[in-house]
Amino acid sequence: MESFLNGRVRVLTGDITRQETDAIVNAANSSLLGGGGVDGAIHRAGGARILEECRDIRRTCFPGGLPTGEAVITSGGLLPARFVIHTVGPIYGHHGGREPELLANCYKSALALASRNNLASIAFPSISTGAFSYPLEEAAAVSSQAIADFLKDESSISEVRLLFFSQDDLNTFLKNHRFDD
Ligand code: AR6
């Protein structure tokens, strides 16, 4: 397993739904009502409670849907993680060049929410690089920079795990990240 930033960031292959971190991040869509990929896997493994909480959040806070780059938190339901932080990544090519800023906002919003909830460990999937078509080479640079920027000014989060589904994806990330150490 590779690690960066004095061990605070760990990069590995695996299934996001199996992570025993305080929180895992869902690569959701603005409906917050489920989908395929990571989103489908999290709702399948986490059970109905997560969807019920998402429906409440939609009704009370985001009737028009969660905007791209923002994040909300629910319980982890039946998952080993205690919480799920749901964020909506940019769809590549649909945001007039603002995709890097929006993808960085996903990582920063999720980390900020973890910190506000006193969560020390969080696991991310590779947001937007599946159904939303963000090239992993570009996403690796953006996500690593956003995480490094956030952790520089924040000490309460001790572990950020970055989960890749395949070794190929992990290798691509390792070739393109911007962590200094
Ligand atoms: N654990 C870790 N990584 C996974 C898992 C898993 N269980 N399943 C897939 N991946 P995606 P997006 C990888 O499509 O691009 C959904 O329908 C996958 O190989 O899940 O942000 C939502 O509802 C890819 O590298 O997320 C939205 O509509 C990465 O996770 C839309 O897809 C992200 O793929 C979001 O698309």
Side-chain angles (χ1 to χ4, degrees), residues 57-139:
I57 290 169
R58 275 294 305 277
R59 199 175 52 246
T60 55
C61 304
F62 294 102
L66 183 65
T68 304
E70 296 192 25
V72 296
I73 189 165
T74 66
S75 73
L78 303 171
L79 295 166
R82 287 160 54 216
F83 297 94
V84 177
I85 293 176
H86 306 259
T87 189
V88 182
I91 302 173
Y92 198 73
H94 283 217
H95 300 274
R98 291 183 62 227
E99 287 84 353
E101 174 194 340
L102 291 168
L103 185 62
N105 287 348
C106 288
Y107 285 87
K108 290 180 181 175
S109 305
L111 288 163
L113 201 45
S115 171
R116 278 208 295 286
N117 285 275
N118 297 315
L119 307 181
S121 59
I122 180 168
F124 283 93
S126 180
I127 296 167
S128 283
T129 64
F132 284 176
S133 304
Y134 209 119
L136 184 51
E137 293 81 358
E138 295 176 30

Side-chain angles (χ1 to χ4, degrees), residues 1-12 107 111 120 122-124 140 143-152 157-164 170 173-174 177-181:
M1 188 197 314
E2 297 275 344
S3 70
F4 301 96
L5 305 182
N6 294 322
R8 288 175 85 192
V9 176
R10 294 164 169 222
V11 182
L12 62 165
Y107 285 87
L111 288 163
I122 180 168
F124 283 93
S143 60
S144 54
Q145 189 69 60
I147 293 165
D149 286 349
F150 186 91
L151 292 184
K152 185 162 40 75
I157 296 181
S158 57
E159 184 186 352
V160 176
R161 272 185 215 173
L162 303 181
L163 264 290
F164 294 92
L170 175 58
F173 179 86
L174 292 174
H177 73 80
R178 293 199 180 149
F179 293 122
D180 293 336
D181 54 8

Side-chain angles (χ1 to χ4, degrees), residues 14-17 26-31 33-42 44 87-90 124-134 136 163-166 169:
D15 182 343
I16 191 83
T17 66
N26 184 13
N29 60 61
S30 65
S31 81
L33 301 179
V38 167
D39 200 5
I42 287 176
R44 265 195 309 281
T87 189
V88 182
F124 283 93
S126 180
I127 296 167
S128 283
T129 64
F132 284 176
S133 304
Y134 209 119
L136 184 51
L163 264 290
F164 294 92
F165 224 20
S166 71
D169 284 355

